[in-house]
């Protein structure tokens, strides 16, 4: 199933129960919706304008934003 289907994330919660989970992504419009709802730590990676996904943080609801944002991976 495609993001943001909960089954993708719940699979790992069942496989590794009673853990803390983190999700790293770059698509602000959909990557963080479900992991945020499930209580995961979410980390966004800026793409420097080289990706097809818009990364305007004001374009989505606050509940869809990552908890942390990495500006650049060197």
């Amino acid at each position: 199933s495609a993001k943001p289907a909960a089954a993708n994330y719940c699979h790992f919660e069942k496989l590794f129960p009673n853990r803390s989970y983190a999700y790293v992504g770059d698509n602000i419009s959909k990557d963080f919706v479900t992991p945020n709802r499930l209580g995961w730590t979410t980390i966004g990676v800026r793409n420097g304008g080289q990706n097809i996904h818009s990364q305007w943080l004001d374009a989505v609801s606050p509940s869809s934003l990552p908890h942390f944002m990495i500006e650049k991976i060197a």
Side-chain angles (χ1 to χ4, degrees):
S1 57
K3 291 180 282 185
N8 297 330
Y9 305 91
C10 293
H11 169 78
F12 288 98
E13 290 181 341
K14 290 177 185 173
L15 192 60
F16 303 102
N18 305 314
R19 307 279 176 95
S20 296
Y21 309 95
Y23 182 86
V24 179
D26 66 345
N27 187 340
I28 300 296
S29 68
K30 68 177 183 177
D31 279 354
F32 310 107
V33 174
T34 301
N36 280 346
R37 187 173 48 78
L38 294 173
W40 291 33
T41 299
T42 52
I43 304 162
V45 179
R46 291 252 184 228
N47 61 38
Q50 299 172 356
N51 198 323
I52 62 171
H53 309 300
S54 171
Q55 292 192 316
W56 292 100
L57 299 181
D58 58 352
V60 297
S61 69
S63 64
S64 296
L65 294 175
H67 297 115
F68 303 97
M69 188 61 106
I70 297 173
E71 294 298 323
K72 182 179 180 182
I73 297 177

